[in-house]
Amino acid sequence: MAIAILAAGKGTRLKSKHPKVLHEVGGRPLLAHVIAAATRVVPPGDVFAIIGHEADRVRAAVASSGIGFVLQSEQRGTGHALMVARPALAAYDVIIVLSGDAPLITPQTIEKLRDFHTSRKAAMTLLTAELENPTGYGRVLRKKAGSDDVKAIVEQKNLSLAQQKIHEINAGFYAFEARSLFSYIDKLSADNHHGEFYLTDMAAILGKAKQRVVAVQAANPHEVLGGNTRADLSEIDRHMRLAKCQQLMAEGVTILFPDTCVIDSDVEVGPDTTIEPFVQLRGNTRVGSDTRIGSYSVIINCEIGDQALVQTGCVLEHSTIKDRASMGPYSHLRPGCEICEEAHVGNFVELKKSRLGKGSKANHLTYLGDSEIGEKVNVGAGTITCNYDGVSKHKTIIEDGVFVGSDSILIAPLRIGRGAYIAAATAVTEDVPPDSLALGRARQIVKEGWAKEKRERAKAQKAK
Ligand code: UD1
Ligand code: CA
C-alpha cells in the first residue's frame, strides 16, 4: 500500500505568498501533520507527497520525514496530480490519497478507510463526514440512502438546489485499487468550471465502468476539516490545541482554562505540572513534573526540569531550566541559556548565551550576556555585562561564590575569581583575583549644611 498526499496547490483562497501546505496549525505546517499520520500507517518510503507550487520550499520543510516526492509542475487539479504520480504509484496494490491541507486526520481513520476498502473489495472508497455546514465541500451522492455504494461526488459549484441540502461531504481522502485507478484515470476531463481534472469525478467514471465505489464515514467529523481559508485554519488550529490540552490533562497535567493556552503538538509536559491561563508552550518544549508555568509566559523550544517555577510573563527561548530553578515574573531568556538547579532569575532580568550555576541568583533588573556564572553567585540589582564593544562579543566569567554588588558594570572580557566581592556601582574593567574586593567608583564627598544653606539663600531671594 502507498499513501499519496496532495500538496501541490497554491492555496489561492489563503491570499498568501507562502504555499498553502506550509501554513501552520498546532505549531507545525499542515503537511507535516498529514505526513506524521501517514507514516504511522506505512513506512516513509511508501509515502509520496505530490508537490508543485513552491516545490523546493515545501520539500525542504518536510524532507527530514524521509518520504518520497513527486513533482506536479503545473497544477491542473487533484485528478491531474495522480496522473503525474502514476510512475511512482502504479506498482502498488492499494493507494490511499490524503489531502495535504487536512491535518486533523488520524492514523486510526486512515486504517479504517483501508480496512473498509479491502472488506468491500471496492475500486474506490471515499471517506465522508456529516458536517453541519457543508458549504465549500464536494457532496456525496449515495446510490440509495443507507447504502455503502456511491453514485457520484458533486463539487460545490455544480450542486443543484436539491443537492445543496446534502450534508454528507467528500473529505478528500480516498482508497483506490491502483489497477482500477490507472485503467480509468485518463477518462477524467477538464471540462468544468475551473478547467481542472477533478479526482472526485473518478467516482462516477468507475461507477459507469461497473467498478464498485463505496463510502465510509469518519468517526469524528472534525478530522476531515480542510484549511482552504484563514478562517478554516483558525478553526483547525483551535481543534488541535484543545486536543493537545486534553491529551496532556489525560496524562496528569493540570491546565487552568485550557481554551486560553496555546500548546504546540510536539510539546511534552510531565504529570502534576500546572499550566496557568494564557500560557504558550511552543516548538519542542519539554516541561518536567511538579513544575508551574505562570500566566502569559511564552516558552519556545525550552527544556524545563522538575519542580521548577516560571512565574507570570516570562519569555524563554531555546534554553534549559533545570530542576527547582525559578524564573520571573517577567524574565527573558534569549537563546542559549542554562539556568542550573535552584538558581533564581527575577523580574526584568535578561540573559543571553549564559549559564547561571546551581543556586545562583540574578533577581532584579539585570543583563547577563555571553557569561559563565558559577555556583552560589549573587548578582545584585541592576548589574550588567558589557559584552559587546560595537564589533565583537566578549565573555564574562564569574566563579563560584562571587558577590556582585548592585549596579555594577562588568566590562568584558573579564574573569572574577572565586569568592571575590564587587562593591556596588563598580565599573569592573580588569580581572578580579579570587577572594578579593574590587571597588571602582568615585569617593563620596559630603558637604555638611549645604542643603540648608541653599534653602535659606532661596528664601532670602524671595523676600527681596
Ligand atoms: C477537494 C475536493 C472536494 C472535497 C475537499 C475536501 C476535488 C476536486 N474536490 O476540494 O470534493 O470536499 O477537497 O477538503 O478534489 N492539489 C494538488 N494539485 C492540484 C490541485 C490541488 O496537489 O493540481 C492539492 C492541494 O494542494 C490540496 C488538495 O490537493 O492539498 C485539495 O485541493 P483543494 O484545492 O484544496 O480542493 P478543495 O477545493 O478543498
Ligand atoms: Ca482543500
Side-chain angles (χ1 to χ4, degrees):
M1 184 170 108
I3 298 185
I5 304 174
L6 303 178
K10 178 165 189 273
T12 313
R13 288 162 281 185
L14 289 176
K15 303 198 168 64
S16 172
K17 58 182 173 298
H18 309 294
K20 177 201 244 185
V21 292
L22 293 190
H23 277 258
E24 291 192 355
V25 292
R28 271 199 294 187
L30 290 168
L31 181 57
H33 291 283
V34 182
I35 291 173
T39 51
R40 280 167 62 194
V41 180
V42 299
D46 296 322
V47 177
F48 300 88
I50 301 167
I51 55 176
H53 180 72
E54 295 249 31
D56 292 341
R57 270 184 74 188
V58 175
R59 186 198 299 257
V62 297
S64 63
S65 62
I67 65 161
F69 295 91
V70 170
L71 186 66
Q72 183 196 14
S73 30
E74 234 190 312
Q75 293 89 55
R76 301 176 62 199
T78 46
H80 180 251
L82 282 178
M83 293 175 184
V84 171
R86 187 180 199 146
L89 300 175
Y92 289 91
D93 294 325
V94 175
I95 300 162
I96 300 270
V97 178
L98 305 179
S99 196
D101 67 350
L104 294 168
I105 188 72
T106 60
Q108 294 76 13
T109 300
I110 299 172
E111 282 162 359
K112 182 178 170 180
L113 175 64
R114 173 197 64 196
D115 295 344
F116 192 89
H117 176 78
T118 320
S119 73
R120 296 301 188 279
K121 300 197 167 51
M124 174 182 187
T125 302
L126 40 138
L127 186 73
T128 72
E130 291 279 347
L131 291 192
E132 215 166 290
N133 176 13
T135 311
Y137 290 91
R139 270 9 107 68
V140 178
L141 305 190
R142 300 236 182 196
K143 280 195 174 156
K144 276 184 293 193
S147 114
D148 290 339
D149 292 270
V150 170
K151 196 158 80 187
I153 302 168
V154 185
E155 288 305 292
Q156 171 78 32
K157 290 246 159 59
N158 306 324
L159 292 172
S160 69
L161 229 56
Q163 288 167 343
Q164 283 178 24
K165 297 211 176 74
I166 300 175
H167 284 250
E168 185 174 26
I169 62 107
N170 166 38
F173 303 101
Y174 318 88
F176 285 102
E177 219 47 46
R179 205 161 344 113
S180 309
L181 173 67
F182 292 121
S183 303
Y184 293 96
I185 198 165
D186 295 326
K187 293 205 185 306
L188 286 177
S189 105
D191 185 13
N192 54 45
H193 199 89
H194 283 115
E196 290 190 348
F197 296 97
Y198 290 162
L199 187 57
T200 45
D201 288 344
M202 285 308 297
I205 290 170
L206 288 169
K208 281 198 193 101
K210 302 279 174 271
Q211 303 261 330
R212 190 160 193 212
V213 181
V214 296
V216 58
Q217 280 205 354
N220 179 351
H222 298 143
E223 261 190 59
V224 308
L225 292 177
N228 291 334
T229 64
R230 302 270 176 172
D232 293 340
L233 290 181
S234 105
E235 196 185 344
I236 292 169
D237 186 68
R238 196 169 53 85
H239 277 293
M240 210 166 257
R241 307 274 182 202
L242 275 181
K244 181 68 190 182
C245 286
Q246 302 287 357
Q247 175 218 322
L248 292 176
M249 290 190 283
E251 290 168 6
V253 179
T254 294
I255 305 181
L256 309 176
F257 291 92
D259 300 28
T260 66
C261 293
V262 172
I263 303 179
D264 283 359
S265 306
D266 293 336
V267 169
E268 292 172 24
V269 184
D272 290 318
T273 281
T274 298
I275 297 172
E276 296 180 5
F278 296 99
V279 163
Q280 293 192 34
L281 301 178
R282 299 187 358 214
N284 292 316
T285 294
R286 276 188 288 163
V287 181
S289 305
D290 292 302
T291 283
R292 190 172 186 99
I293 311 288
S295 289
Y296 308 108
S297 289
V298 178
I299 302 176
I300 304 165
N301 295 324
C302 285
E303 188 151 339
I304 302 180
D306 300 334
Q307 295 168 44
L309 174 64
V310 175
Q311 300 190 69
T312 302
C314 292
V315 176
L316 314 176
E317 301 165 76
H318 300 271
S319 289
T320 303
I321 294 150
K322 299 223 168 131
D323 298 348
R324 298 176 303 284
S326 105
M327 305 289 307
Y330 311 109
S331 312
H332 184 191
L333 294 185
R334 286 161 55 201
C337 292
E338 186 181 355
I339 309 300
C340 295
E341 292 85 349
E342 288 133 42
H344 288 248
V345 176
N347 23 207
F348 309 107
V349 173
E350 171 185 343
L351 278 85
K352 186 215 73 172
K353 251 197 212 166
S354 289
R355 178 172 188 275
L356 188 62
K358 189 171 173 189
S360 290
K361 294 175 185 167
N363 270 332
H364 330 270
L365 303 155
T366 282
Y367 172 60
L368 301 169
D370 303 300
S371 51
E372 237 173 69
I373 299 164
E375 296 184 6
K376 294 222 159 67
V377 168
N378 186 80
V379 179
T383 297
I384 59 166
T385 54
C386 303
N387 58 321
Y388 185 49
D389 57 16
V391 182
S392 334
K393 306 279 166 64
H394 302 283
K395 232 176 156 163
T396 300
I397 296 168
I398 304 178
E399 295 179 356
D400 295 349
V402 165
F403 182 96
V404 180
S406 291
D407 204 20
S408 295
I409 297 172
L410 311 178
I411 300 171
L414 197 63
R415 176 184 287 271
I416 301 175
R418 170 187 286 267
Y421 263 68
I422 308 297
T426 295
V428 188
T429 52
E430 282 161 48
D431 286 359
V432 179
D435 295 319
S436 47
L437 168 71
L439 194 154
R441 62 184 183 228
R443 184 175 283 278
Q444 182 171 324
I445 301 169
V446 175
K447 299 185 174 176
E448 272 185 52
W450 183 91
K452 193 173 171 214
E453 281 163 26
K454 176 180 158 76
R455 276 193 299 271
E456 278 162 4
R457 263 200 316 275
K459 214 168 157 188
Q461 195 88 33
K462 234 178 169 182
K464 261 197 212 159

